[in-house]
Amino acid sequence: MVPTLTATLGVKGRRPVIGTRDCKDVVHTFASANLTTGAVTSRLYGSRTRARRKDGLSKTKRMQVAFAHHLLDVARAYPATAWREVVLIIDNAPWHRGRPVDWALRRFPHLSLYRLPPYSPQLQPIERLWRPLRQRATHNLLFDEMTELQQALRSGLGYFRTRPHLVLKLFGSLWTTTGLPEA
């Protein structure tokens, strides 16, 4: 819930005052984008510091469960009856593997994961969505409550969900059939 700061205007010779909270609550965002239609499927997972201490689960275990739920969302958006195979490109984060993820993949065999090499975020298409999402939802904003942060993220994701042409533009013309040069 710490704001993402960017350049701001201020009075010359005076330092602008930026508020902050000593709050370590975070909202993790899982998102998948269809690289041919621009459709975005997403899930927010709020993680409160106090709750983390009470449940005794590790961050990795909680994130594995949240990622498995995201896979269920993707399976609902792309059912096996209409989509023979759905490939999700993922990095090597520890929460992209484990029992909950294996369970979701067994339940929906038409979903498959393509793992990228370590330390290669430039190859991950969804990374191109994160910066504009943060600019739209969190830059220079201070949230008093986690629900406000979640609402800002939902609004930002909704913006891109209703504008698939912008999502395709973020991925570049190599991903769209309309961007191919004519022979």
Side-chain angles (χ1 to χ4, degrees), residues 105-136:
L105 292 173
R106 275 193 312 274
R107 184 168 176 204
F108 299 101
H110 71 291
L111 296 181
S112 62
L113 303 179
Y114 178 80
R115 297 185 190 282
L116 292 173
Y119 307 106
S120 56
Q122 72 279 7
L123 298 176
Q124 175 61 281
I126 200 68
E127 292 289 338
R128 297 178 189 165
L129 179 67
W130 296 139
R131 178 174 282 156
L133 175 63
R134 284 192 307 268
Q135 287 173 343
R136 177 164 287 285

Side-chain angles (χ1 to χ4, degrees), residues 14 16 24 38 42 46 66 74 87 103 110 118 136 146 161 167 177:
R14 301 221 176 155
K24 304 302 181 208
S42 63
V74 171
V87 179
W103 172 84
H110 71 291
R136 177 164 287 285
M146 186 182 281
R161 199 172 285 119
V167 175
T177 55

Side-chain angles (χ1 to χ4, degrees), residues 24-97:
K24 304 302 181 208
D25 294 346
V26 295
V27 175
H28 299 280
T29 306
F30 294 96
S32 300
N34 185 320
L35 299 180
T36 56
T37 65
V40 175
T41 305
S42 63
R43 172 174 284 270
L44 299 179
Y45 170 66
S47 181
R48 296 185 183 275
T49 306
R50 284 169 274 150
R52 290 191 300 244
R53 291 186 185 128
K54 288 180 185 176
D55 67 13
L57 296 175
S58 68
K59 174 186 175 183
T60 301
K61 181 56 87 175
R62 285 191 312 276
M63 295 291 285
Q64 286 172 341
V65 171
F67 182 64
H69 282 106
H70 174 64
L71 291 175
L72 299 179
D73 294 341
V74 171
R76 269 187 238 112
Y78 301 97
T81 56
W83 301 85
R84 191 172 58 93
E85 183 179 20
V86 176
V87 179
L88 286 89
I89 301 171
I90 60 169
D91 58 18
N92 288 300
W95 48 83
H96 288 155
R97 63 184 84 237

